[in-house]
Amino acid sequence: MRGGAGVGLTLMGQDANGVPLRRSKRGWMWNQFFLLEEYTGMDHQYVGKLHSDGDRGDGSIRYVLTGDGAGSLFIIDENSGDIHATKRLDREEKAYYTLRAKAVNRITNTSLEGESEFIIKIHDINDNEPKFTKDPYFTEVPEMSPLGTVVMQVTATDADDPTYGNSARVVYSILQGQPYFSVEPNTGVIKTALPNMDRETKENYVVVIQAKDMAGQMGGLSGTTTVSITLSDVNDNPPRFPKSLYEFKAPESTEPGSTVAVLRAMDADIGRNAEMNYRITSSDGPSMFDISTNRSTQDGVITLRKSLDFERKRSYTLRIQVENSNPDPRFLRYAATTDGATVKLIVEDVDEPPVFDRVGYVMEVKEDVAVGTIIGSVSATDPDSSRSPVRYSIDRRTDMDRVLNVHPGNGSVFMLRTLDREDIAWHNVSVIATEFNNPRLMSRVPVYVRVLDVNDNAPTFATYYETFVCENAKANQRIQTVSAADADEPIGGHRFFFSLAHEASVKANFTVRDNKGMCPSSCRTAVDTHLIVRVFYLVYCTAAMITICKSHRVIYI
């Protein structure tokens, strides 16, 4: 390169391969130097030499260096033009430096030629090992996967120069995890190396992957990472009962709807794949039991639909089947998809209270029945096999007046007091049956006693009559209608006969006439539940009564 004074400035150094750079007539890339990074020598590292054609070695020329790191990282011998690096450089921090060089007259400080720019490029060495983007990795792969199933891809990076040599060329290998998994050397893709790995046999695997630069050659640097691989569950196992026969007990007093048995089938799978359904396939007690699945525990819960009776049937045998709720069609051919077990339920005897042969009793008795008369009977028996004798009694809270009683041994109901239908038409009491061997066990039954009517009441006038007669009343004129009532309730209705009392029939001034034919049919019809029938009659004046009428006397009938 020539300056204005015809003096040439030459930069002498080495190329990337360490070959000295020489200026030729046609020119060369003098403006780029290569400097080895991470220099560990004791002396300053030599970079290159700046030389002017006009330099005759008499010290009249001074060399000047400016630009990136000039004076600190890079220094120049102003007399010889030799350039050195003062510090160890790291290409990964800064890959190249741009500097400017010129030669000046030492005395006048004038430039002998124009300023020249050149680059110092830091030559890479393999000083960085590959580093994985994660450590550790976590992933899952379904169990029973075929050979070569992709699990995941790991990635390692190398900070060295990828354009120079193999310093940044990474290959992968597996250090731990064979023979279950493999890794592709160039991509870092991890695959299954064995088919049909079973989660129920081994669930978790730790794989160590190495990334090595220099294309894996000797002397390359390496880094490792850990990959935790879990086999995720698939529904490849059917449920199985641990036993073929289960035996449970339930007291006969168990209420319908109650749980009488709980059994559990085992499924090696987990989560949704372990959900199962139970059903009753056969039973010697039709419609006696139900079975359902407890979704929290996957237990089969047997519940009672009807009441148990030890005296009627002492045991039941059921056949239970279990199957997956969510079967996977891929594995149906490998094994039976259902399992079965037998359940035997033993009914335990419970000392039960006596049972009446009816839910209630209705008895009828005439109101004139004598005290002590038996009007009916109740009957209760002990349903247990012991057949304990039964003792009867009246619940006196339902018979405060002590009208009735019951024979303690045979249940005969008899009268303690006389009855009056017109006072109380029904007597409702409770009879208690107590087990003789266990008095705490008792039952009750209602007894309804209807009192039947007898004709024990004389008719009575409907009211107290006061009759006034006018002085101009005529003979055979009706002056009063009277009626009577009877508290009894004859089935056919009442028929009254009216007449003047004996003491009033002598020299009678009045007559009583039965109102036959004049009384409408409703006169002799029941008007309430007591069947009270009223028959109306007419009282008529005779000729002899006019004197009495004139005196305005009150007539009492």
Side-chain angles (χ1 to χ4, degrees):
M1 180 176 179
R2 300 292 180 181
V7 179
L9 184 63
T10 302
L11 300 175
M12 291 177 290
Q14 294 177 338
D15 65 10
N17 297 314
V19 178
L21 297 174
R22 295 291 182 183
R23 191 168 195 175
S24 67
K25 197 170 187 178
R26 297 184 60 186
W28 41 274
M29 291 299 295
W30 60 271
N31 60 343
Q32 178 170 290
F33 290 129
F34 288 91
L35 182 63
L36 193 65
E37 69 168 333
E38 304 294 349
Y39 174 71
T40 58
M42 299 298 295
D43 299 327
H44 291 168
Q45 187 178 6
Y46 179 73
V47 178
K49 186 177 183 63
L50 180 64
H51 182 74
S52 174
D53 292 344
D55 188 355
R56 295 179 176 82
D58 56 3
S60 61
I61 294 178
R62 182 169 62 89
Y63 297 97
V64 178
L65 186 66
T66 59
D68 292 342
S72 57
L73 294 178
F74 303 101
I75 58 175
I76 188 170
D77 186 326
E78 62 179 16
N79 295 316
S80 65
D82 291 331
I83 303 173
H84 290 82
T86 62
K87 298 180 180 179
R88 186 169 64 176
L89 302 177
D90 188 353
R91 188 200 66 84
E92 287 70 42
E93 292 183 3
K94 191 172 178 64
Y96 63 90
Y97 298 84
T98 302
L99 294 101
R100 292 174 296 277
K102 62 181 178 178
V104 298
N105 186 287
R106 185 180 295 275
I107 297 173
T108 63
N109 208 32
T110 58
S111 296
L112 300 180
E113 59 183 54
E115 189 176 60
S116 297
E117 185 177 271
F118 64 97
I119 294 173
I120 299 177
K121 187 174 182 181
I122 307 304
H123 179 64
D124 185 44
I125 64 170
N126 190 18
D127 60 341
N128 291 281
E129 74 278 3
K131 293 184 178 180
F132 285 91
T133 56
K134 290 183 181 179
D135 187 26
Y137 289 85
F138 296 93
T139 189
E140 292 184 351
V141 64
E143 64 171 330
M144 309 302 290
S145 294
L147 177 67
T149 299
V150 174
V151 179
M152 72 172 306
Q153 182 177 22
V154 295
T155 302
T157 58
D158 194 311
D160 292 323
D161 188 356
T163 64
Y164 177 74
N166 292 322
S167 297
R169 184 181 175 187
V170 176
V171 294
Y172 301 91
S173 61
I174 185 167
L175 300 182
Q176 177 182 321
Q178 303 98 333
Y180 308 104
F181 299 95
S182 63
V183 63
E184 290 187 351
N186 297 323
T187 63
V189 173
I190 301 173
K191 297 181 179 180
T192 57
L194 290 178
N196 301 325
M197 287 188 288
D198 190 4
R199 185 198 67 85
E200 289 73 38
T201 302
K202 182 176 175 63
E203 181 177 8
N204 297 305
Y205 296 83
V206 177
V207 177
V208 178
I209 302 296
Q210 175 182 266
K212 189 174 184 180
D213 61 14
M214 297 299 292
Q217 298 174 5
M218 291 287 293
L221 303 178
S222 64
T224 60
T225 189
T226 300
V227 182
S228 294
I229 301 175
T230 300
L231 296 184
S232 59
D233 188 52
V234 299
N235 196 356
D236 59 335
N237 293 282
R240 290 285 182 262
F241 284 110
K243 300 189 297 183
S244 60
L245 176 64
Y246 294 82
E247 187 171 295
F248 300 94
K249 295 180 179 181
E252 62 176 330
S253 59
T254 303
E255 294 289 335
S258 301
T259 298
V260 294
V262 176
L263 62 161
R264 178 182 297 180
M266 308 305 294
D267 193 320
D269 297 319
I270 59 175
R272 185 174 183 271
N273 296 322
E275 294 179 0
M276 58 191 77
N277 294 324
Y278 298 85
R279 64 188 183 96
I280 300 173
T281 57
S282 64
S283 171
D284 59 358
S287 303
M288 281 291 297
F289 304 95
D290 276 332
I291 190 167
S292 60
T293 303
N294 183 326
R295 289 304 173 191
S296 298
T297 62
Q298 299 305 313
D299 291 339
V301 181
I302 301 176
T303 54
L304 188 65
R305 294 184 63 185
K306 299 178 181 178
S307 298
L308 300 172
D309 188 347
F310 174 82
E311 288 70 33
R312 183 171 59 87
K313 188 171 178 60
R314 301 191 176 189
S315 67
Y316 294 88
T317 301
L318 297 81
R319 185 66 181 171
I320 308 299
Q321 180 177 288
V322 63
E323 60 187 0
N324 274 131
S325 301
N326 310 291
D328 191 328
R330 294 177 297 170
F331 306 105
L332 295 180
R333 66 181 184 274
Y334 293 124
T337 58
T338 63
D339 196 21
T342 299
V343 173
K344 184 175 183 180
L345 180 69
I346 298 175
V347 181
E348 296 179 317
D349 188 24
V350 174
D351 199 0
E352 300 173 275
V355 177
F356 284 94
D357 60 359
R358 300 183 195 175
V359 295
Y361 296 84
V362 178
M363 301 177 184
E364 292 183 342
V365 58
K366 291 185 177 181
E367 61 179 324
D368 61 350
V369 69
V371 173
T373 300
I374 295 175
I375 63 172
S377 65
V378 297
S379 178
T381 56
D382 180 10
D384 299 315
S385 57
S386 61
R387 292 292 188 263
S388 171
V390 175
R391 182 181 181 87
Y392 302 95
S393 61
I394 295 287
D395 185 350
R396 288 304 172 190
R397 292 173 298 178
T398 63
D399 186 25
M400 302 293 288
D401 295 332
R402 302 182 68 84
V403 176
L404 301 169
N405 205 357
V406 62
H407 191 284
N410 60 25
S412 298
V413 180
F414 60 90
M415 302 303 304
L416 282 181
R417 293 182 60 181
T418 57
L419 301 174
D420 185 357
R421 187 201 66 81
E422 290 72 38
D423 183 20
I424 301 177
W426 286 86
H427 294 270
N428 302 326
V429 299
S430 290
V431 175
I432 301 173
T434 304
E435 195 172 298
F436 188 82
N437 294 334
N438 188 356
R440 292 177 299 177
L441 296 177
M442 60 179 65
S443 299
R444 299 172 183 269
V445 71
V447 177
Y448 309 101
V449 179
R450 180 186 179 189
V451 182
L452 301 178
D453 186 48
V454 297
N455 193 7
D456 60 344
N457 289 281
T460 59
F461 286 100
T463 186
Y464 181 78
Y465 296 98
E466 288 184 341
T467 304
F468 295 90
V469 181
C470 298
E471 63 180 342
N472 58 353
K474 297 178 180 181
N476 294 321
Q477 179 180 336
R478 184 176 64 183
I479 62 173
Q480 178 67 56
T481 300
V482 297
S483 64
D486 194 317
D488 296 321
E489 52 174 9
I491 297 176
H494 288 292
R495 182 71 175 89
F496 297 122
F497 298 93
F498 289 78
S499 63
L500 291 176
H502 177 72
E503 61 273 16
S505 61
V506 180
K507 296 181 179 181
N509 294 319
F510 303 94
T511 59
V512 176
R513 184 185 301 172
D514 191 348
N515 198 17
K516 298 177 185 178
M518 297 178 61
C519 181
S521 61
S522 60
C523 293
R524 290 184 292 272
T525 302
V527 296
D528 57 26
T529 56
H530 296 288
L531 199 62
I532 296 177
V533 181
R534 296 177 179 176
V535 181
F536 296 91
Y537 294 87
L538 303 180
V539 179
Y540 290 86
C541 293
T542 64
M545 68 173 286
I546 296 176
T547 303
I548 299 176
C549 291
K550 285 183 178 180
S551 65
H552 301 286
R553 294 177 63 186
V554 177
I555 305 301
Y556 297 96
I557 297 177

